[in-house]
Each structure stands twice: as C-alpha cells, then as structure tokens.
Amino acid sequence: MKNRGIEKNIASSFKRKMIMLSDNNNLNKTPSKGNEYGRERVRVLTTLSMFRAKCKEISRKHGVNRVDFEAKEELTKQGKIHICSSKIIGSVPGVEVGDRFEYRVELTIVGLHGKTQHGIDFMEFKGKSLVTCVVAKEGYLDNMNDSEMITYSGEGGLVRNKEGVCPKDQKLVRGNLAMKNSMIEKNYVRVVRGIKLGGKFGYERYDQTSYFYDGLYKVLSYEEKKGPCKNLIFEFKLKRCPGQPIVPWYKFKIV
C-alpha cells in the first residue's frame, strides 16, 4: 500500500510539471486563418491533438508497451492521419520553430523526420543523398550545450552491444555520407533536439524525453575521431541559421 501511495505521488508531481511545461508550448497557439499556412498549421495541431488523445485512450489498457506505435497504427488504418512519404529540404508547412513533441513518432506524423529510430533522415536529390532532418538526443555522444551549434556523432558504432562486443568503425555511407554531401551542398537541415525531462520524488526518479524543433541548420564540417570503444567515428558540426526565433529548450530541463 505504501508503494502505491508513492507511485501516485510521483505520477501526480510529474503531471503537474508537464502541465507547467505545456503552458509555453507553441502547439497551443491559435494559428491565423484565411491563408495556406494557417490551414497547414491547423492540420498539424489537429493531427497531434487527435494522436495524443488516442495515446491517452490506449494507455488505459493493460499490456501495451508502445502506446505511440499502436495509436499511429490505429489512426492510420482509420484514415484519420496520413503519413507523408515524400521528403523535402527546409521548413515543413504548418510546423513552427519551438514546437514540442511528446513522442518521437510525432515527428514522422507531421513530416519533420521520416524515421522512428535513426537520427539522420535523408533523401536523394540529383544523384546525391542529402540530409533533411537530424534528431540530436541527450544520452548519446552528441554535444548539445550550445544553443547555436550542435556536434552530432555519426550513425553506427557508438556503444558496445548486449554481449559487450565493441562496435566496428563507422563508415561514410547512408546518413553519414548524406551529412558530408549536405556540408558540400550547404543545404538547410532541420534539427530536432531530444531533451531529457527528469526529476525526483523522494528516492524515486522518473525520466521522459521531449523533442523540440530547433529550426534550420547547416553542416559546417566533420572530422574522424576515436570513439569510447576506440573505434573510428564521425563528428559533424552543425550551425543554426540566423534570424530564427530563440528556442529556450534549456528551461524545460528538470533537474
């Protein structure tokens, strides 16, 4: 009985903090009407609201580990959401700099990032692969302390596997190659920051990652380095394009 009381208090405390964070969430802003952007904004907000309501509904069921995946599957089958398969360079209509997303899969639903696992999303353009979006996340080797610059570790070969085997050297293929190509072509790259929200209640700790759309960046450079397992990894430096709204993502971190 005592443990149940602690769990309820933790959940209640976490819920109150999440409500406070949501007060500053751009997704709650009312878009302007009567223009194409306004219609796209309404579409994004409506889709996310419907998706989160479905997640809440599914979370009441027992034995469901990934409510986000199940919600996406149900709504897609019902024809209520349509996952955009085409990819674009630059801004996504209806998505604003500073928008916050509660589930990683929401990035796919609104068209920001086409993958639910890999951090680098890319497309083919005139015979070259170019990066469309990068998800930089705390807990990896990505350096996200600077609000105007991100150091992003390449795909593959970062940590030991479950058997403790060291990873192989990273290769300049797929997402890593697309990053190099985008550095040469100087195309816009959307950046999403995955920020860990966490706190303590008594001796218990809870964690959650939220995703903030930080706007457009450009890949400045890359270098080869030795990773934690002494294998070869790539580090890419991305710089935020000027003239964009400031995203105070650091204020959302709860210590």
Side-chain angles (χ1 to χ4, degrees):
M1 294 297 292
K2 185 177 180 181
N3 289 337
R4 287 185 181 179
I6 292 175
E7 289 174 0
K8 287 183 179 179
N9 287 333
I10 293 171
S12 177
S13 175
F14 181 74
K15 184 177 181 181
R16 287 196 300 271
K17 290 182 178 180
M18 292 306 293
I19 289 173
M20 287 190 292
L21 293 176
S22 297
D23 289 340
N24 294 323
N25 189 350
N26 282 347
L27 292 177
N28 293 327
K29 289 185 177 179
T30 303
S32 58
K33 298 180 180 179
N35 55 62
E36 185 176 351
Y37 174 79
R39 288 191 293 272
E40 287 295 327
R41 186 63 175 162
V42 168
R43 179 189 62 81
V44 168
L45 295 176
T46 303
T47 300
L48 289 175
S49 178
M50 180 169 50
F51 173 78
R52 291 169 184 175
K54 176 60 70 172
C55 285
K56 188 175 182 179
E57 175 189 324
I58 294 174
S59 67
R60 298 191 183 101
K61 300 179 182 178
H62 296 288
V64 179
N65 293 324
R66 293 300 303 267
V67 296
D68 51 339
F69 282 7
E70 185 166 328
K72 176 187 173 184
E73 184 177 357
E74 282 191 23
L75 292 174
T76 302
K77 285 182 179 179
Q78 295 170 4
K80 294 182 178 180
I81 62 173
H82 303 277
I83 308 301
C84 182
S85 58
S86 60
K87 298 181 180 181
I88 61 173
I89 298 289
S91 302
V92 173
V95 179
E96 293 184 354
V97 175
D99 279 352
R100 174 182 162 198
F101 302 89
E102 302 303 328
Y103 298 93
R104 169 72 186 263
V105 73
E106 290 180 350
L107 305 178
T108 304
I109 291 174
V110 301
L112 270 179
H113 196 286
K115 301 178 180 180
T116 56
Q117 295 293 331
H118 297 285
I120 303 174
D121 193 15
F122 59 92
M123 62 180 287
E124 295 298 320
F125 182 75
K126 295 183 178 180
K128 283 187 177 182
S129 57
L130 298 177
V131 178
T132 58
C133 185
V134 166
V135 176
K137 189 176 178 181
E138 289 184 329
Y140 290 87
L141 298 181
D142 305 332
N143 187 339
M144 300 167 53
N145 295 324
D146 193 327
S147 60
E148 297 297 322
M149 185 84 71
I150 283 179
T151 301
Y152 185 85
S153 299
E155 285 185 340
L158 288 179
V159 295
R160 298 174 186 268
N161 62 19
K162 293 180 180 179
E163 288 72 34
V165 178
C166 287
K168 297 180 180 180
D169 292 343
Q170 290 186 352
K171 304 294 184 182
L172 201 59
V173 296
R174 296 183 58 77
N176 294 335
L177 178 59
M179 290 285 274
K180 178 185 177 182
N181 290 340
S182 288
M183 178 192 72
I184 296 171
E185 297 297 327
K186 297 180 172 56
N187 64 280
Y188 290 124
V189 175
R190 298 185 296 275
V191 167
V192 176
R193 291 178 182 253
I195 305 297
K196 281 188 177 181
L197 310 178
K200 290 184 177 180
F201 187 89
Y203 295 102
E204 302 287 341
R205 180 173 181 84
Y206 53 84
D207 292 284
Q208 176 174 323
T209 298
S210 280
Y211 299 89
F212 297 85
Y213 175 48
D214 202 33
L216 301 177
Y217 281 64
K218 288 190 176 181
V219 184
L220 289 186
S221 61
Y222 82 97
E223 62 178 327
E224 300 177 0
K225 297 185 68 175
K226 289 292 184 181
C229 296
K230 307 302 180 184
N231 62 317
L232 175 70
I233 66 171
F234 296 103
E235 278 193 354
F236 300 92
K237 291 192 180 297
L238 294 90
K239 183 171 178 58
R240 197 168 191 257
C241 298
Q244 300 180 91
I246 296 174
V247 182
W249 46 265
Y250 48 86
K251 292 184 179 180
F252 290 81
K253 297 182 68 171
I254 306 174
V255 181

